[in-house]
Amino acid sequence: MYLTSLQTYSKILGSIIFAYFCTIGAKLYTNDGSSVSDCSALLTLSHPSDMALSSPLKTAIVLGGSGTVGSGIVKALANCPLYEKVTLLGRSRIELPETENYAKFTQTTMDFENISSQGALFAGFSTAFYAIGVSQNKVDEETYRKIELTNALAIATLMKEASIPDIHWVTGGGSSKNSLFLFGRVKAEVEETIGKMGFRRVIIYRPGGILADKSSSMGPKTTTVLRAVDPFHLMSVEAELLGEVMVGNSIKEMEGEGNEMKILENCAINKIGKDLKRPEN
């Protein structure tokens, strides 16, 4: 019993330390290649209230809707009246509430072993949300690279070929070419490649620890402790809030006429989420 408790708390401590180092040196990169590390400046650059609300109804495709982050995206889309059609694309169907706001959802299965031949599944959408992810601790390096790099970029290519203009993509805090972690290096490569594909708008989300009551991959004990030691969400974000921020950003008009790319770090995500919940005067 003592050994089990020790292992549990070692896992919790490791998650906290990892999340901390992932958020140090947070930067936002804009489409002109500039970056800032000061959080207050970052928020000024990235806040979606700088963009006007768009009126046409939207359609969305979601990949990774069964996961912790994806569940938050799905719920936010269900509650957003500006989306008239949402398609969940995955290996299998998931259970959705039988309520009116979920009537606009359809589900389509996809063969992830033959991605390149399934471009037709991506046609006709105004927005794409990507939240597929696997822990590098649960698979070997070859499998991790296949899921997080090869498959991810193959899917991004299909999005581009289908002319989806607005891409919202979750990577994670700590993404860097020089990261000590495989996770950070792979995610950085994905970000860089997608940024060069020429989408009208790409927003990359780099959350810290993802918090959820039921589906968090960290487990209930780690989630409880991280909420306790990080009450201001410097190293973490609630999954539902992340989903609300992603959907909230997607209904803002795109800036300028060229290609737009932004990367939102954990503190920016939480700040935007807090402002979204603030009552308007």
Side-chain angles (χ1 to χ4, degrees):
M1 182 175 180
Y2 173 77
L3 180 59
T4 301
S5 298
L6 181 62
Q7 290 173 335
T8 298
Y9 286 107
S10 296
K11 180 180 178 182
I12 292 171
L13 181 60
S15 297
I16 292 172
I17 293 173
F18 178 74
Y20 173 74
F21 281 105
C22 280
T23 55
I24 288 179
K27 293 184 178 181
L28 173 134
Y29 297 84
T30 60
N31 53 326
D32 64 359
S34 60
S35 66
V36 290
S37 57
D38 177 67
C39 192
S40 60
L42 181 151
L43 298 174
T44 301
L45 287 172
S46 63
H47 198 289
S49 64
D50 295 334
M51 312 174 203
L53 278 172
S54 57
S55 55
L57 293 179
K58 294 176 172 290
T59 58
I61 187 169
V62 181
L63 291 102
S66 62
T68 305
V69 175
S71 298
I73 297 170
V74 168
K75 183 174 182 179
L77 286 169
N79 294 329
C80 181
L82 290 180
Y83 277 94
E84 63 176 348
K85 173 187 173 183
V86 180
T87 295
L88 306 183
L89 192 57
R91 294 183 183 276
S92 59
R93 297 172 63 87
I94 63 175
E95 185 175 350
L96 296 174
E98 296 181 1
T99 55
E100 184 177 354
N101 56 335
Y102 282 89
K104 61 187 174 184
F105 283 76
T106 59
Q107 300 192 56
T108 303
T109 56
M110 178 177 177
D111 179 7
F112 284 84
E113 299 303 320
N114 191 24
I115 294 173
S116 62
S117 66
Q118 299 176 80
L121 299 178
F122 293 81
F125 297 98
S126 60
T127 312
F129 297 90
Y130 186 93
I132 294 177
V134 62
S135 171
Q136 69 177 63
N137 298 322
K138 294 183 178 180
V139 295
D140 58 40
E141 181 173 341
E142 181 180 358
T143 303
Y144 184 81
R145 286 185 176 276
K146 178 182 179 182
I147 295 172
E148 294 285 357
L149 182 61
T150 306
N151 287 2
L153 294 181
I155 289 170
T157 298
L158 295 185
M159 292 177 180
K160 179 58 180 175
E161 292 175 350
S163 299
I164 301 177
D166 195 14
I167 309 298
H168 297 261
W169 197 288
V170 180
T171 56
S175 299
S176 170
K177 291 181 179 180
N178 301 317
S179 175
L180 297 176
F181 302 99
L182 173 65
F183 162 89
R185 297 192 300 274
V186 168
K187 294 294 188 180
E189 185 173 348
V190 170
E191 292 175 355
E192 181 178 18
T193 304
I194 292 175
K196 294 178 179 178
M197 284 186 172
F199 290 105
R200 178 63 181 84
R201 174 169 67 186
V202 178
I203 301 183
I204 302 292
Y205 300 82
R206 290 179 175 177
I210 305 296
L211 305 175
D213 292 327
K214 295 182 179 180
S215 58
S216 176
S217 59
M218 293 189 296
K221 291 183 178 180
T222 304
T223 299
T224 299
V225 171
L226 188 52
R227 278 181 173 145
V229 301
D230 186 30
F232 300 108
H233 297 297
L234 300 177
M235 304 178 291
S236 61
V237 63
E238 296 289 340
E240 285 193 8
L241 184 140
L242 175 56
E244 291 169 0
V245 169
M246 294 176 70
V247 173
N249 280 340
S250 75
I251 62 174
K252 309 299 179 180
E253 282 189 0
M254 301 182 194
E255 297 178 343
E257 297 183 357
N259 299 332
E260 174 191 350
M261 180 180 179
K262 289 180 178 173
I263 299 179
L264 301 184
E265 299 284 351
N266 192 77
C267 67
I269 294 168
N270 279 298
K271 175 63 169 58
I272 294 170
K274 180 179 179 181
D275 289 349
L276 284 175
K277 294 177 178 294
R278 184 178 298 156
E280 294 184 3
N281 295 326

